[in-house]
Amino acid sequence: MKILICVKQVIDSQAPVTIDESGKWVKYGDSSPFRMNRYDEFAIEEALRIKETLNDVSVDAISVGPPRVSSTVRKAMEMGAEKGIHILTEGDFFITPFEVASTIASYVQTNNYALILTGAMSEDDMNSQVGQVIAEILNRPCATLVMHQEIREDKKEVYVEREIEGGKRECLNLQLPAVLTIQSGINIPRYPSLSNVLRARKAQILTIEATAMNIPAKREHLVALSYPEVSSRGTFIEGSQREKAKELVSILHEKSLI
Amino acid sequence: MKKQIAIIAEHHKESVVSATFEAVSFALELSNLTEAKPVIIVLGKSIKEMAENLSKKTGLDVVGIEGGPLEFYNAEQYKFTLKYYLESIDPEYICMTHTAMGLDLAPGLATRLDASCITAVEGIKSQDGKISFLRSMFGGKLRAEIMPKLKKSVITILPGAWKAQELDPMENGHVDIKAAPSSISTSRTITVKEAEEETLNLDDAEVIVAAGRGIGNEENLHLVKDLAKIFNKSAIGASKAVCDLGWLGYKHQIGMTGRTVSPRLYIACGISGSSQHISGMKDSQIVVSINIDPNAAIFNVSHYCIVEDLATFIPVLLEEFRNFVGTT
């Protein structure tokens, strides 16, 4: 049984983001702190746990993006993915989830994967779309926000619990092949072992030019990016720590909260 | 036929979830801009009563599609049924809430219907007769304007971005109940399990002190707990990141897939302020945020903002609270 994990490289969520001259994307530089999307780390860990419990499972990782993305594919291999696939795109700008999903689906069509895992969303674009669209293009069932999975012994079906509002869980059975989007918190992602790091360093990443693939046209258009209006910003309390603390206590007292 | 906006209702245990009425508010705003007519679609096993209530509360036409396999929400069943029905009304927009159901359904449905898909929408922009949608990116640090390129769009609406309105319509909408077409599915929803943990009384708390990843490490949690103890009727909240790290249980989680709260005072400690978190606390009466990052998105929804390192600031704040209490 082959498992494919879809990983994305994002800028660290603590890093400042600025809009570029075109107004349509963010300015990235050589020092931008890129790393793997955290949700995808949970997807990799879940795939590796499946591999450790069932016989005859292999795990590959795929990412779509500009050259910088290859370091995230390698990170997935350091965690334990056997094969790394990088679909190389031109330029470093916004790619719609439909385009990413179409690209991955196109790769899957010529490579047989019983299970495709993605993170529940990306920390940068926050669309929560890629997994569901891959599933639809490939005509496979999909479950999102997965907090528990169990592949049946015959490897024909997977039992899934997905997280819904108020801590409740929806329980469903999906026929394989299927797509799952993994919710953060399902497991504790591992740190790469030294032997895996050494193996991954030597391993080749399979790089495919996106232009060589037949990707359908985008379905949405990013018109512009802007900074959220600051009019709703409240009062910044200034001064030393002590002054700020005194001021806050006095404000809360005026509002009869203490 | 007039263009239509289809609103997919969400319900649990035969009761429509309140966010569906926020989707109705969204559809009414969109309807004013496009002249398309909103219609509510509700799918389920036994939905007549819900459909009638929806028509009474909103005055909108309601289509109910009834069938045994629709007992629980299931993406495959919903996509199959909606594709079958939506072909006849050919709506320009199909909208639903950005909940566990909406985000599960919308992208696949859009692909199946050859529609554009825009998720977690917080605003509508209309310019030169063209409609685009506003949504957050980069943890709320940026806002993107996205325009559909296709004739049909599936939109999910971020909970909390629109308010549910008391519409008090003059007359009820028309209710039409149909039988679901039969289908074979590769996915079957068996049941919905209730939350295992006892629920914390976040609803009754007057003050919620919430911890985010910015508290730095688990050991700093006691600072947040000590701060909460200053107030009567207080409770501890958390961002999803903190629950994922195992620092607090999921019953503390505020925001999407967690709880929606509106206490008198919400103190966000080290919370960056993703739209998912903000949707769960933005109706709090007073929001105080403490964060070391002056650009944190949480400051955009805060009344009082303090740029400080929590580990050193909270002990000072606790001292000042104690001094204050001592002098009154």
Side-chain angles (χ1 to χ4, degrees):
Chain A
M1 185 172 110
K2 283 170 72 184
I3 303 177
L4 182 68
I5 327 151
C6 309
V7 296
K8 183 176 186 181
Q9 188 178 66
V10 297
I11 192 164
D12 189 84
S13 54
Q14 308 284 321
V17 282
T18 45
I19 301 168
D20 70 9
E21 291 75 19
S22 74
K24 291 172 194 284
W25 199 228
V26 292
K27 210 183 278 177
Y28 289 137
D30 290 339
S31 58
S32 294
F34 288 109
R35 60 162 169 79
M36 187 185 289
N37 178 38
R38 285 220 168 84
Y39 291 85
D40 302 342
E41 293 179 3
F42 294 97
I44 296 177
E45 179 62 36
E46 204 58 21
L48 296 173
R49 289 183 185 196
I50 294 170
K51 185 182 161 174
E52 286 156 4
T53 23
L54 298 177
N55 292 325
D56 203 20
V57 174
S58 70
V59 175
D60 297 348
I62 190 168
S63 190
V64 179
R68 60 174 164 84
V69 164
S70 64
S71 65
T72 292
V73 176
R74 201 165 299 278
K75 171 78 192 295
M77 295 164 85
E78 288 175 2
M79 283 180 76
E82 287 141 72
K83 197 162 104 185
I85 304 122
H86 177 191
I87 312 286
L88 182 64
T89 58
E90 282 182 343
D92 199 340
F93 38 71
F94 177 63
I95 315 176
T96 65
F98 179 74
E99 290 170 286
V100 175
S102 300
T103 307
I104 294 172
S106 162
Y107 177 78
V108 172
Q109 253 145 6
T110 50
N111 295 271
N112 191 30
Y113 289 98
L115 195 59
I116 300 172
L117 303 184
T118 73
M121 70 168 191
S122 64
E123 293 170 81
D124 54 357
D125 300 346
M126 305 157 68
N127 285 307
S128 303
Q129 289 202 36
V130 167
Q132 300 92 304
V133 177
I134 294 172
E136 183 62 32
I137 294 170
L138 298 171
N139 196 22
R140 297 178 180 189
C142 175
T144 55
L145 304 171
V146 169
M147 278 302 272
H148 176 76
Q149 59 73 28
E150 272 171 62
I151 294 172
R152 304 290 186 208
E153 227 167 286
D154 59 6
K155 293 181 186 163
K156 286 189 174 149
E157 201 175 62
V158 59
Y159 166 77
V160 157
E161 292 182 9
R162 56 186 300 265
E163 184 182 66
I164 62 170
E165 282 69 23
K168 285 184 278 204
R169 286 184 179 197
E170 226 165 60
C171 309
L172 57 162
N173 284 317
L174 307 180
Q175 280 174 26
L176 293 175
V179 180
L180 307 181
T181 86
I182 304 297
Q183 175 67 315
S184 57
I186 185 175
N187 53 37
I188 298 168
R190 68 193 62 189
Y191 288 104
S193 68
L194 182 62
S195 59
N196 269 336
V197 171
L198 295 174
R199 182 190 59 84
R201 255 183 222 163
K202 278 185 254 162
Q204 274 280 328
I205 292 174
L206 171 64
T207 305
I208 304 169
E209 302 268 351
T211 46
M213 301 172 91
N214 193 15
I215 311 303
K218 60 174 80 218
R219 292 179 160 193
E220 304 85 20
H221 166 62
L222 196 159
V223 182
L225 287 177
S226 58
Y227 299 102
E229 298 98 53
V230 289
S231 57
S232 58
R233 281 201 154 195
T235 313
F236 275 79
I237 300 176
E238 305 289 351
S240 67
Q241 284 198 339
R242 181 72 56 191
E243 285 161 353
K244 287 176 183 167
K246 276 191 199 300
E247 170 97 24
L248 181 59
V249 170
S250 127
I251 289 165
L252 295 179
H253 176 61
E254 275 167 35
K255 308 272 178 197
S256 346
L257 284 155
I258 48 168
Chain B
M1 193 163 68
K2 206 171 165 183
K3 282 179 180 166
Q4 307 222 31
I5 304 171
I7 305 156
I8 314 300
E10 179 172 346
H11 53 91
H12 290 296
K13 289 191 173 170
E14 304 192 356
S15 154
V16 174
V17 305
S18 59
T20 295
F21 295 98
E22 300 174 10
V24 169
S25 300
F26 162 87
L28 291 172
E29 184 182 330
L30 189 58
S31 169
N32 282 335
L33 297 166
T34 60
E35 290 174 6
K37 183 184 166 212
V39 52
I40 301 175
I41 302 177
V42 49
L43 278 61
K45 189 180 175 188
S46 164
I47 38 120
K48 192 156 178 282
E49 209 173 305
M50 279 191 290
E52 279 166 0
N53 276 336
L54 280 164
S55 86
K56 203 164 110 188
K57 276 193 176 166
T58 64
L60 299 176
D61 290 350
V62 180
V63 176
I65 306 176
E66 221 165 28
L70 297 170
E71 180 178 3
F72 298 108
Y73 162 74
N74 176 281
E76 293 308 309
Q77 294 292 352
Y78 266 53
K79 281 188 284 187
F80 179 83
T81 310
L82 285 169
K83 160 108 176 160
Y84 176 85
Y85 175 70
L86 291 175
E87 265 171 1
S88 65
I89 65 162
D90 194 30
E92 194 170 5
Y93 298 99
I94 298 141
C95 60
M96 59 195 86
T97 57
H98 191 73
T99 48
M101 177 192 109
L103 78 81
D104 192 68
L105 174 64
L109 181 67
T111 306
R112 189 168 294 191
L113 299 174
D114 290 322
S116 299
C117 184
I118 305 172
T119 50
V121 164
E122 296 166 49
I124 309 174
K125 188 172 167 185
S126 168
Q127 202 169 14
D128 308 326
K130 282 190 167 174
I131 298 289
S132 54
F133 298 93
L134 304 171
R135 62 185 304 283
S136 287
M137 279 190 175
F138 296 92
K141 285 179 186 164
L142 297 181
R143 181 171 255 216
E145 178 189 345
I146 313 271
M147 191 178 283
K149 292 190 77 179
L150 303 177
K151 282 187 186 143
K152 198 175 285 196
S153 304
V154 178
I155 309 288
T156 68
I157 295 128
L158 192 73
W162 276 265
K163 287 231 178 305
Q165 301 167 30
E166 288 290 335
L167 292 163
D168 209 9
M170 302 288 277
E171 52 187 304
N172 297 356
H174 178 73
V175 175
D176 186 9
I177 306 282
K178 296 170 183 294
S182 63
S183 68
I184 301 164
S185 182
T186 51
S187 155
R188 197 166 63 87
T189 304
I190 314 154
T191 187
V192 173
K193 274 199 214 168
E194 293 300 315
E196 281 167 18
E197 286 175 291
E198 56 169 311
T199 46
L200 185 79
N201 229 346
L202 284 167
D203 292 337
D204 291 340
E206 286 192 352
V207 177
I208 294 176
V209 183
R213 191 193 283 270
I215 64 167
N217 58 58
E218 197 173 356
E219 286 68 47
N220 284 338
L221 257 185
H222 77 271
L223 294 170
V224 173
K225 289 179 179 164
D226 289 349
L227 187 55
K229 280 185 203 145
I230 298 282
F231 304 94
N232 297 325
K233 292 197 82 176
S234 65
I236 306 283
S239 70
K240 181 157 169 30
V242 161
C243 300
D244 289 343
L245 288 163
W247 295 353
L248 283 167
Y250 283 97
K251 63 183 175 183
H252 294 278
Q253 188 191 327
I254 309 285
M256 213 189 128
T257 74
R259 307 290 294 271
T260 300
V261 295
S262 48
R264 284 184 63 205
L265 173 64
Y266 191 89
I267 305 182
C269 302
I271 288 177
S272 62
S274 70
S275 48
Q276 280 79 5
H277 185 81
I278 288 173
S279 72
M281 48 62 74
K282 61 189 280 217
D283 289 333
S284 306
Q285 286 177 33
I286 297 175
V287 178
V288 174
S289 294
I290 309 166
N291 202 302
I292 199 158
D293 175 6
N295 297 313
I298 192 80
F299 288 139
N300 298 334
V301 294
S302 304
H303 301 90
Y304 299 101
C305 315
I306 295 172
V307 181
E308 277 295 346
D309 180 358
L310 288 149
T312 54
F313 180 68
I314 293 183
V316 177
L317 183 60
L318 289 170
E319 256 179 53
E320 285 303 320
F321 272 122
R322 288 182 192 123
N323 285 345
F324 177 83
V325 175
T327 56
T328 50

